[in-house]
Amino acid sequence: MSRFWSKVVHGLTPYTPGEQVQMPNLVKLNTNENPYGPSPRAIAAMQAAVGDGLRKYSDPSNAGLKDAVARRFGLTREQVFVGNSSDEVLAHTFHALLKHELPLLRPDISYSFYPTYCSLYGIESLELPLNERFEVDVADYHRPCGAIIIANPNAPTGIALPLAQIEALLQSHPDQPVVIDEAYVDFGGESAAALLHRYDNLLVIQTLSKSRSLAGLRVGFALGHPDLIAGLERVKNSFNCYPLGQVQQAGAIAALDDVAYTEQTSQAIIASRTWLTSQMQALGFDVLPSHANFIFTRHPQRDGAQLAAALRERAILVRHFKSPRIDQFLRISIGTDEECGKLVDALKAILA
């Protein structure tokens, strides 16, 4: 703490990411990283981008990357915004689109960066509780507000809303921006991008960190009406005109174009998730229905923090949250079949 800090800094509670630790023979299932490597085409493109050209600034308009995103979703370049990770895209979204006289509506259990952004940008927000099944109840959002943000599939629960319920939100709030954060949508969710041609208040945000196995590259993007995208560009260009370097853009373009590879690895993760869910249920765990690359689970007779600590002693990392209502849950990323097997074997020993 410093006397030179501003009032804003004094009031901030920064986001806490999952641990990135070094441990021998570690099974790392705590940060929702993809267990499979990036597309070989993406790696080749990044290697080709490393050269003398790096002495020059990258394209500030990110035109090539925007065109790749537009191709993937059947949109125009003017409907695409890109940034240095979906977290940065979200930050610009909060700044540009979500501060209004009425409060922002968001779930009480969701991505924990949302309250941090609200604090940073002075945005009044109202947390709406998930129901007893840990689902977003769309009916709760049919009230006056300035904007809405929902992660779909939600994090850390993994539960997804069907597209019809997203559309109901859009129809009930035609004059407010509705942001759908789709970091995990490729693992079984329905993308709201299909609704973009009908709703000018919809913004969809995705990342290359999960289904494209590029968490270390830090690339995210938003899809929406050109007027929403223009607002994001105004904020971005008042902050950093060159957020994405040449290597980032080259790798991202190749990864987006390699649709077959993304589908192949996503399907492998879905299959492993199905197997792991059945194994956890056989061990007595409650497992929420997941459409993400993780499961959210608890054991009715074992403390969540103690289970996480016991797994850590066996060099297996999972994520435990101390927040009310979910302090007995573990969020477990889907690893390779071998890693999932090691987790199940460790839990059998712990529960014996």
Side-chain angles (χ1 to χ4, degrees), residues 39-232:
S39 160
R41 288 166 55 180
I43 294 174
M46 289 184 282
Q47 290 171 335
V50 176
D52 181 68
L54 291 179
R55 64 186 174 82
K56 298 180 180 179
Y57 286 109
S58 57
D59 172 18
S61 72
N62 305 290
L65 178 52
K66 288 180 180 178
D67 288 343
V69 175
R71 283 195 300 272
R72 178 71 183 86
F73 293 93
L75 302 173
T76 65
R77 184 188 298 175
E78 291 71 29
Q79 293 173 282
V80 178
F81 177 82
V82 299
N84 185 21
S85 79
S86 62
D87 286 337
E88 183 181 76
V89 175
L90 280 165
H92 291 331
T93 298
F94 272 75
H95 206 177
L97 303 176
L98 303 187
K99 184 174 183 177
H100 301 279
E101 291 185 7
L102 292 175
L104 167 69
L105 302 183
R106 56 185 178 86
D108 67 330
I109 300 171
S110 192
Y111 187 28
S112 53
F113 230 138
Y114 298 163
T116 298
Y117 291 137
C118 287
S119 179
L120 180 63
Y121 296 120
I123 298 172
E124 180 186 356
S125 68
L126 179 62
E127 291 184 343
L128 300 181
L130 300 182
N131 65 23
E132 67 279 1
R133 296 181 300 277
F134 293 96
E135 301 165 336
V136 172
D137 191 335
V138 170
D140 292 340
Y141 291 75
H142 294 168
R143 64 176 74 193
C145 66
I148 295 170
I149 186 166
I150 291 174
N152 194 49
N154 195 18
T157 66
I159 297 176
L161 286 172
L163 206 55
Q165 293 190 36
I166 298 294
E167 187 161 19
L169 269 181
L170 292 161
Q171 291 173 344
S172 66
H173 292 282
D175 298 317
Q176 288 78 39
V178 176
V179 178
I180 307 299
D181 183 1
E182 295 186 341
Y184 302 100
V185 73
D186 292 324
F187 303 106
E190 295 181 278
S191 177
L195 303 174
L196 285 167
H197 65 290
R198 296 207 298 274
Y199 299 96
D200 63 359
N201 60 328
L202 170 63
L203 190 78
V204 176
I205 297 177
Q206 292 193 14
T207 177
L208 272 66
S209 294
K210 311 302 182 185
S211 61
R212 274 88 176 188
S213 306
L214 289 171
L217 198 64
R218 316 308 298 133
V219 177
F221 58 88
L223 314 170
H225 188 277
D227 290 347
L228 298 182
I229 300 303
L232 296 177

Side-chain angles (χ1 to χ4, degrees), residues 235-298:
V235 170
K236 185 266 287 185
N237 289 328
S238 301
F239 178 74
N240 181 4
C241 289
Y242 300 96
L244 290 176
Q246 295 172 32
V247 177
Q248 283 175 290
Q249 294 185 50
I253 291 168
L256 284 161
D257 285 341
D258 197 349
V259 176
Y261 184 85
T262 299
E263 291 180 351
Q264 174 189 332
T265 55
S266 295
Q267 287 302 315
I269 288 169
I270 291 170
S272 298
R273 183 184 70 207
T274 300
W275 179 86
L276 181 59
T277 297
S278 67
Q279 294 294 309
M280 298 292 287
Q281 290 171 335
L283 290 173
F285 284 84
D286 300 321
V287 185
L288 299 188
S290 175
H291 288 80
N293 68 337
F294 58 84
I295 59 172
F296 204 50
T297 182
R298 64 182 170 188

Side-chain angles (χ1 to χ4, degrees), residues 20 28 30-36 209-210 215 293 333-335:
Q20 297 287 355
K28 190 172 182 297
N30 66 323
T31 52
N32 299 341
E33 292 151 332
N34 197 310
Y36 305 106
S209 294
K210 311 302 182 185
N293 68 337
S333 306
I334 304 301

